[in-house]
Structure formats: C-alpha cells, structure tokens
Amino acid sequence: MKFTLIGHQFFAVADPVAEYRAGLEQCKLADELGYDRFLTTEHHLSPYGGPGIFSQLAAFARETKRIRIGSMVVLTPIHHPLHIAEELAVIDILSDGRLDAGVGRGYRPRTMETFGAAMDDLKDKHEETVHIVKRAWTEETFTHHGRFYDLEDITVLPKPIQQPHPPLFQPVLSPPSIPWCLENRINPILGAHLTVDDVTRMYFGYWKEATEQAGDPGLERANQQICYVARTQSEAMQGFAAVCRYCREFAKDLPNFPGSVWETYRNDLVMLADNVEEAARRSIVGDPAAVVDRLEFYRELGVQNLILFMDFGVDQSDVLESMRLFAEHVMPKFK
C-alpha cells in the first residue's frame, strides 16, 4: 500500500501565511519520512482552502528530493487547458518527473460561476479539457474543435519528462464517472472521507464491477481518509476533536442541491460537527496499534493508495507528530 499526505489551506483556523508555510514544512518532512506522495488542493473564495496550486507544487519540487508531488485537484473548468498543460509540464520538469496530475471539475457554484464556468457545463468542460491536456503533452502539433475550445495547429512546449505523460487521477463520487476514468486511464480516488465504511465499500464495488465488464487497465485505486495518530488512544481522541470545526466549515463549503450526493454529504458533515465519536469511527484515529488495526479494512478492500488528511485544523506541531508516528510505527506494517 502507498501512503499519500494531503495538505490544504484552512483559513478558518489559521492565517494564510501560516497555512502556506505549514504545507511546505509538512511536504519536506513527508519526503524525509518516506511517504509516497504529498498533494495540495485548489480552492478559491473560500475559508476552507486556498489558491496557488501551481506555485505550491513548484515550491514542493524545489524543496524535496524523492517524494512524488501532486494536485488534488486542478479545477479544470476555470483554467484554459493549454495553461494547465504548460504549468504542469514545467512542474514535472522541475521535480525531475515526480508529478502526479490530479484533475477535477469542481463543485462550488460561487467559485465556478465567479470564474466563468457554468455549473451545467462542468462535466463536459472537464472532459474536454483533460482530452486537450493529454494531446498537448503527447502530440507535437494538434488541432481541436470542440464545444468549448477551438485550437488550430497548436504546439505546446515544454513537454513533461514522464512518458507518455504524468499519471492522471481524479476523485470519483458518482458511478457514471467510472467508465470515463477507465476509458481515459484516469486513476480513481474512490469515495470521500468522513463517510461510513459501507459507502467506501460500495464505491470499490462499483469499480470492481466496471473492471470486470470492461477489463482492468491496471489503474491505481485510491481512497481518502482523515487520519490522526498520537502516542495514546486518549491523546488521539483529544486531538482529533478539532475535526468538529473542520466538518462545520467543510459543510459550509459544499453545495446543497436537493437530492444530490452533495446534499447527503453536507448533511452528514453537519451531524458530525457535533459527534466526534462518530467522526472517529469514520476515520483513522488512535495510537499506532489501533491505527494498524484500522488499516486492515483498507488493505482488505483493495486500496492501493491511501490518501491521509492529517492537517484538519490541529496545531502544526501535532500534525508533524502524527506524521512521524504513522511513518515510524504504521507504514512498515503495510510496505
């Protein structure tokens, strides 16, 4: 099993300067401790996360030597696809081929519409953008005439180091996304954090059914979970209590479309904001021995890349300690 850390800017808890510096410190330590990847997020006009994803990835590339770095995710509908292709190719070069390119269509109406992307167009625009980015990376010159972009005799330089291009991945929160990921060789992040185990199991079931029908292209199956490790179980629960504020702020950030997966997820988060015990059951929390036991569920499920949210509003010193305890006492059991 591979272990990925994700940092993000939580402006509802700390000021932006501290948050960006914290992410850089976490990435450098993750490199030293032997984690497989470090990801950062893209959010705009929100206290839940911040902008600057390309700048952050370039800084991570400069400050690390071994760890893979990646985006979770570049919001494709608000960027021109050639801009995405160029920026990520440069980061792949600066990191000496260590980039994993996470892409996604976004979900916040305020962000997407303010940046000129209509909510009804997100899926189609995302898919067209990813198609163009892949062609920009792999073809010397190409022409594209689509619904959103008309491009004639385009040559994009530089090309990324990784061939044919950096690995692509995206969150999968609805079964209809699975066939498209399979067809386009997009590594899936199946399900979401803070959901019950049966929902996580359901998403991996969807993937298994789809690959049995269409064939398995050998993509890496990922899942994301909040994780907090302390020296004792009581210390872990005490520190994990910060998740309540995280749930409250995250819920504000989600759309409330009636009958949608987002409404269900949002209502769950509102409930978890007042129920730390249930949030812990849906996460990975405890002393190292308890965390090892908990990870058996994900290993048996077939998770190949476990994405860990350790920075969810706890103090930076506690995030770093949790990272160290996990690396020293948990990771060796699953490598």
Side-chain angles (χ1 to χ4, degrees):
M1 189 183 294
K2 295 178 181 177
F3 294 103
T4 296
L5 289 175
I6 182 166
H8 76 287
Q9 297 73 49
F10 197 7
F11 298 157
V13 172
D15 71 89
V17 173
E19 288 292 85
Y20 284 106
R21 289 175 177 170
L24 186 57
E25 184 179 19
Q26 291 166 23
C27 186
K28 292 166 67 175
L29 180 61
D31 189 34
E32 297 168 8
L33 292 174
Y35 286 89
D36 294 283
R37 295 182 179 92
F38 192 89
L39 309 178
T40 190
T41 64
E42 178 178 22
H43 291 270
H44 300 274
L45 311 176
S46 168
Y48 173 73
I53 193 164
F54 302 123
S55 301
Q56 290 181 78
L57 291 173
F60 296 163
R62 181 195 63 200
E63 295 292 337
T64 58
K65 296 180 174 62
R66 179 205 54 81
I67 196 169
R68 295 189 65 81
I69 57 175
S71 50
M72 188 175 159
V73 294
V74 174
L75 298 174
T76 54
I78 66 172
H79 297 281
H80 194 285
L82 299 185
H83 179 223
I84 295 173
E86 290 176 340
E87 291 289 338
L88 292 181
V90 170
I91 292 165
D92 196 50
I93 292 168
L94 294 177
S95 66
D96 197 22
R98 291 186 284 126
L99 175 69
D100 290 327
V103 292
R105 66 197 197 201
Y107 58 82
R108 296 182 73 245
R110 177 169 170 78
T111 294
M112 310 315 289
E113 292 170 356
T114 300
F115 281 77
M119 294 298 292
D120 289 343
D121 293 338
L122 295 186
K123 179 180 181 294
D124 291 345
K125 196 172 186 182
H126 167 71
E127 293 180 0
E128 185 173 338
T129 295
V130 172
H131 176 70
I132 293 170
V133 169
K134 291 171 71 174
R135 295 191 69 186
W137 282 342
T138 58
E139 299 180 28
E140 183 176 347
T141 302
F142 71 97
T143 294
H144 171 88
H145 299 296
R147 179 183 169 195
F148 300 100
Y149 299 102
D150 282 303
L151 306 170
E152 190 76 31
D153 294 331
I154 296 295
T155 299
V156 173
L157 293 173
K159 304 295 187 191
I161 288 178
Q162 297 180 84
Q163 296 298 316
H165 55 72
L168 288 159
F169 63 92
Q170 76 169 46
V172 173
L173 296 176
S174 63
S177 298
I178 290 177
W180 186 81
C181 286
L182 284 169
E183 180 182 351
N184 291 275
R185 297 190 61 81
I186 310 290
N187 297 284
I189 304 170
L190 297 163
H193 59 318
L194 291 168
T195 57
V196 296
D197 287 354
D198 282 348
V199 170
T200 302
R201 190 180 290 110
M202 179 179 66
Y203 275 100
F204 276 78
Y206 291 150
W207 183 262
K208 182 179 179 181
E209 291 173 8
T211 54
E212 286 174 349
Q213 294 176 9
D216 190 344
L219 298 172
E220 183 181 81
R221 302 178 300 274
N223 180 247
Q224 52 179 313
Q225 296 295 333
I226 289 182
C227 177
Y228 188 73
V229 192
R231 297 194 176 277
T232 68
Q233 195 71 18
S234 61
E235 289 176 358
M237 286 301 297
Q238 183 177 0
F240 181 71
V243 78
C244 294
R245 185 172 184 181
Y246 174 91
C247 290
R248 192 169 294 111
E249 295 299 329
F250 190 17
K252 294 176 186 176
D253 203 60
L254 293 179
N256 193 20
F257 303 134
S260 70
V261 65
W262 294 115
E263 181 186 41
T264 302
Y265 194 23
R266 187 175 183 273
N267 291 342
D268 252 14
L269 290 169
V270 171
M271 178 273 293
L272 293 174
D274 295 317
N275 192 335
V276 67
E277 290 80 12
E278 178 61 22
R281 282 190 287 271
R282 300 183 182 199
S283 303
I284 302 169
V285 185
D287 60 28
V291 169
V292 168
D293 289 344
R294 176 67 170 137
L295 259 61
E296 289 296 341
F297 167 76
Y298 302 99
R299 174 153 62 183
E300 292 173 5
L301 195 60
V303 175
Q304 296 165 304
N305 173 26
L306 189 57
I307 300 171
L308 305 172
F309 284 77
M310 290 193 182
D311 184 1
F312 52 92
V314 297
D315 291 341
Q316 174 74 343
S317 60
D318 294 327
V319 176
L320 302 181
E321 177 69 2
S322 181
M323 289 171 58
R324 292 188 184 97
L325 289 170
F326 190 97
E328 293 169 5
H329 302 288
V330 180
M331 279 203 300
K333 307 288 187 182
F334 296 87
K335 290 292 188 180

